[in-house]
Amino acid sequence: MSYKPLTKAVLPVAGLGTRFLPATKAIPKEMLTVVDKPLIQYIVHEAAEAGITDIILVTHSSKGAIENHFDKHYELETELALRGKQERLLPLREITPEGVRLVSVRQPEALGLGHAILCASPVIAEDEPFAVLLPDVLMHHPQKGCLAQMVDTYQKLHTSVVALEEVPDDQVEKYGIAEVQGPDLRITRLVEKPKVNEAPSNLSVVGRYIFTPRLMSLLKHTQPGAGGEIQLTDAMDALLQEEVMFGFEFKGGKSYDCGDKHGYLQANVEYALRDAKLGDTFREYLMSLDLQAR
Ligand code: G1P
């Protein structure tokens, strides 16, 4: 099957982020910072590194700060240039990667992740594959981003590719879980948020996907599932009846579930430790802490 080239990525950002209240009362959860950049900026850069040129934000009226972040702030840039603050200008100009365009579509009602992705269908052609990146999840790799690695696999196989990661038993209920076969991780079944005793494995869907065009048409007919929501995982499971799909094991890197306070704090500490400017002094500071004291 020959599809259009893969150039589009859907980023669902309409969720209200209630787990992070009160921090997310007036700012979108995707704008929470890890060290010095909002979560969404890391995600957009991961997509750009993978060759994505069109980012489709599926958003909500309360999330305008995300679009503003990727827009040019003319007054701020002029002011910094006038004051000769070149070192402050550079990070501003790096916010939107070269050659990347962002468009927004609205999700009028919170009907689930599957429904959010379906809201992007007017801007994705019927023969067009697309990526999905969940902005809650940060994927760090020292050499090559997760989506860029998945694109390599997609270019070889021309099937849907889904990032998978093992999770402990007590975490299984939080994720989509995959049943896989063989060393190439062919996916045979997908279940959204199963009870641990009903889960087909411990392999969770991490939040990075590449889909063949058929997924979008299946989403149109996907009925509400777990939690009464239209689940992306259910449409993926339906796709398995028609096409092969492979899991992608993210090796040599680390994922951070920033939809959870613990994962978010871990990301901040570990990204700070890796930061070229802050890392050394921050490491010294952490080592000087008396961790028994409160
Ligand atoms: C979503 C997906 C789930 C996936 C998870 C990854 O769940 O529905 O399949 O494993 O993201 O973070 P949510 O976190 O929105 O509940």
Side-chain angles (χ1 to χ4, degrees):
M1 185 81 72
S2 81
Y3 304 124
K4 281 190 156 180
L6 173 67
T7 60
K8 292 184 181 164
V10 182
L11 275 52
V13 297
L16 292 181
T18 51
R19 263 185 273 177
F20 275 85
L21 284 170
T24 51
K25 184 180 173 211
I27 58 160
K29 63 173 175 167
E30 296 78 8
M31 291 299 292
L32 294 175
T33 51
V34 168
V35 186
D36 56 358
K37 291 188 275 291
L39 280 167
I40 189 77
Q41 190 174 327
Y42 290 94
I43 307 296
V44 166
H45 281 254
E46 185 187 332
E49 185 199 342
I52 297 295
T53 53
D54 292 276
I55 304 275
I56 303 156
L57 298 171
V58 181
T59 187
H60 177 266
S61 57
S62 63
K63 301 283 191 114
I66 298 176
E67 283 128 321
N68 292 343
H69 184 68
F70 291 98
D71 203 357
K72 193 176 169 83
H73 193 322
Y74 185 74
E75 294 85 346
L76 184 58
E77 290 198 20
T78 312
E79 195 60 35
L80 288 172
L82 278 173
R83 292 192 205 165
K85 304 248 182 212
Q86 294 305 326
E87 78 291 353
R88 301 256 161 102
L89 257 177
L90 200 63
L92 281 184
R93 294 195 170 145
E94 286 172 347
I95 292 176
T96 307
E98 191 93 12
V100 168
R101 298 180 297 186
L102 284 95
V103 297
S104 302
V105 294
R106 290 280 174 97
Q107 184 184 20
E109 282 176 279
L111 298 180
L113 178 60
H115 176 257
I117 305 306
L118 184 58
C119 291
S121 67
V123 284
I124 296 177
E126 276 181 12
D127 57 348
E128 196 166 16
F130 60 98
V132 172
L133 295 95
L134 303 188
D136 276 355
V137 186
L138 280 189
M139 307 288 265
H140 168 79
H141 194 282
Q143 278 95 36
K144 190 166 183 172
C146 180
L147 192 70
Q149 294 187 37
M150 290 169 70
V151 167
D152 291 345
T153 306
Y154 170 78
Q155 302 298 10
K156 279 187 220 132
L157 306 172
H158 292 273
T159 67
S160 297
V161 182
V162 182
L164 299 176
E165 189 176 60
E166 248 180 74
V167 287
D169 280 357
D170 64 345
Q171 301 282 308
V172 159
E173 242 180 291
K174 285 172 58 187
Y175 297 102
I177 300 291
E179 177 182 83
V180 297
Q181 244 176 30
D184 52 2
L185 302 183
R186 183 176 164 167
I187 300 179
T188 50
R189 189 157 69 100
L190 285 154
V191 198
E192 182 66 15
K193 301 189 172 64
K195 299 251 175 287
V196 66
N197 56 342
E198 289 162 15
S201 76
N202 278 50
L203 283 176
S204 74
V205 172
V206 191
R208 297 294 183 273
Y209 315 76
I210 296 174
F211 291 123
T212 59
R214 180 72 182 134
L215 193 271
M216 201 57 105
S217 32
L218 289 169
L219 267 176
K220 292 186 180 136
H221 307 289
T222 304
Q223 299 300 313
E229 298 189 337
I230 298 175
Q231 294 291 353
L232 177 61
T233 306
D234 293 345
M236 291 161 65
D237 191 55
L239 186 62
L240 292 176
Q241 311 303 312
E242 302 180 18
E243 295 180 6
V244 276
M245 186 187 293
F246 289 96
F248 170 82
E249 211 184 342
F250 181 55
K251 289 188 192 137
K254 190 162 176 186
S255 73
Y256 301 86
D257 184 354
C258 296
D260 168 271
K261 282 181 198 165
H262 186 76
Y264 174 68
L265 290 172
Q266 267 186 321
N268 264 296
V269 171
E270 295 186 27
Y271 275 66
L273 285 171
R274 288 187 201 111
D275 187 277
K277 288 200 184 118
L278 300 171
D280 290 346
T281 43
F282 188 58
R283 180 171 287 101
E284 270 173 40
Y285 162 69
L286 288 180
M287 287 169 68
S288 75
L289 285 179
D290 176 359
L291 294 176
Q292 303 301 327
R294 299 203 175 197

